[in-house]
Amino acid sequence: MAKQLPYETMREIFTRFRTAEGEPKGELEHVNAYTLVVAVALSAQATDAGVNRATRELFKIADTPEKMLALGEEGLTEHIRTIGLYRNKAKNVIKLSRILVEEHRGEVPSSRAALMALPGVGRKTANVVLNMWFHFPAQAVDTHIFRVGNRTGIAPGRDVEAVERAIEDNVPVEFQLHAHHWLILHGRYICVARKPKCAACLIRDLCPYEDKTA
């Protein structure tokens, strides 16, 4: 685990990320807040690309909790069979859809606690929804961010909540909204788990990682 980088280094890192991609976007396809919740819930232990393939047709016929309930668990299962743990995920999507209808008038709540009360929605999923839909600077820490945060010293921490706090505490405020997207994309395509692509890295000269690749 690298030590936390100093403030000026952090500012330079995120300035470079912003210059390279000013408006980074999540890769899960969705059409509204509800389909975003469903897509993120389905993405646990699955790739965004795999989820997108399954949900493109699904969201054409079930883009609200009411429509999803009408489709039913078996109907939903037929659409998401290619996604890992699809049976359990189908149960959770139907349950969360019912809760949204019965307790939130079919609307997705903008509270982290209310989101986390939904079946299949953990802190990471809630933070993705808060960030991407409600534009709140919540930090959704996945395996990519955990790796990048600890490897580079951008956000060191022994668990995901510690990394989340490190981002909130140390990333300059003007970069907070997009911080988790920049870090996810950096970890997914450049700072990969094995043989990171250091030669193509925007922040190679600022990164203290000792085992840089040629």
Side-chain angles (χ1 to χ4, degrees), residues 33-52:
Y34 172 70
T35 54
L36 177 59
V37 172
V38 172
V40 181
L42 293 176
S43 71
Q45 299 181 48
T47 65
D48 288 359
V51 172
N52 290 339

Side-chain angles (χ1 to χ4, degrees), residues 1-6 9-10 13-14 17 143-157 163 166-167 170-171 179 182-184 186-187 190-192 196-198 201-212:
M1 182 191 302
K3 292 182 179 179
Q4 176 66 55
L5 294 175
T9 304
M10 295 283 285
I13 284 172
F14 283 94
F17 284 152
T143 56
H144 297 300
I145 292 182
F146 187 81
R147 178 178 65 256
V148 171
N150 279 290
R151 180 182 279 171
T152 65
I154 290 173
V163 171
I167 296 172
N170 296 290
V171 174
W182 282 317
L183 293 173
I184 286 172
H186 191 64
I190 301 296
C191 197
V192 296
K197 301 172 184 177
C198 298
C201 179
L202 285 172
I203 61 170
R204 177 188 173 95
D205 59 312
L206 302 173
C207 173
Y209 183 54
E210 294 181 355
D211 300 322
K212 290 187 177 73

Side-chain angles (χ1 to χ4, degrees), residues 160-177:
V160 293
E161 290 196 14
V163 171
E164 181 182 330
R165 288 194 300 272
I167 296 172
E168 293 173 347
D169 290 346
N170 296 290
V171 174
V173 68
E174 64 265 38
F175 303 111
Q176 289 271 340
L177 181 61

Side-chain angles (χ1 to χ4, degrees), residues 3 35 41 47 52 56 61 63 66 72 115 120 124 157 181 187 205:
K3 292 182 179 179
T35 54
T47 65
N52 290 339
R56 282 184 193 125
I61 60 173
D63 60 355
E66 294 85 355
L115 286 166
K124 185 184 79 170
H181 276 133
D205 59 312

